[in-house]
Amino acid sequence: MSVAEEIRRKLESGLEPQSLEIVDESHKHHGHSGWRPGGETHFRVDVVATAFAGRSRVERQRLVYGLLAEELAEKVHALALKTRAPGEA
């Protein structure tokens, strides 16, 4: 299973999102710290989930980081997050 597929599986299971977009941006970081041949080191994630309602930006990010702790410790060098509750722009 690819890293992106692992991220998707864990976020769908843990957040039941209404919307989830995962983009591998590793190609933009070629030669930079954390980059590896084959990519899957730098991701941008945009997720809309009811689980974020009433939570601060930091709480939302901590929730995502907790779900992806294994990937962040071993495979993912950078993770850019946009976390929103339904109805937020």
Side-chain angles (χ1 to χ4, degrees), residues 21-40:
E21 179 183 17
I22 302 167
V23 179
D24 183 350
E25 295 186 332
S26 302
H27 65 282
K28 295 181 179 182
H29 303 276
H30 185 273
H32 296 175
S33 177
W35 179 86
R36 290 186 312 269
E40 294 208 307

Side-chain angles (χ1 to χ4, degrees), residues 23-65:
V23 179
D24 183 350
E25 295 186 332
S26 302
H27 65 282
K28 295 181 179 182
H29 303 276
H30 185 273
H32 296 175
S33 177
W35 179 86
R36 290 186 312 269
E40 294 208 307
T41 57
H42 296 72
F43 290 92
R44 178 174 46 85
V45 173
D46 186 346
V47 59
V48 177
T50 303
F52 296 141
R55 295 180 188 242
S56 71
R57 181 181 58 85
V58 171
E59 290 171 322
R60 293 172 183 194
Q61 290 178 350
R62 285 182 180 154
L63 181 57
V64 172
Y65 293 155

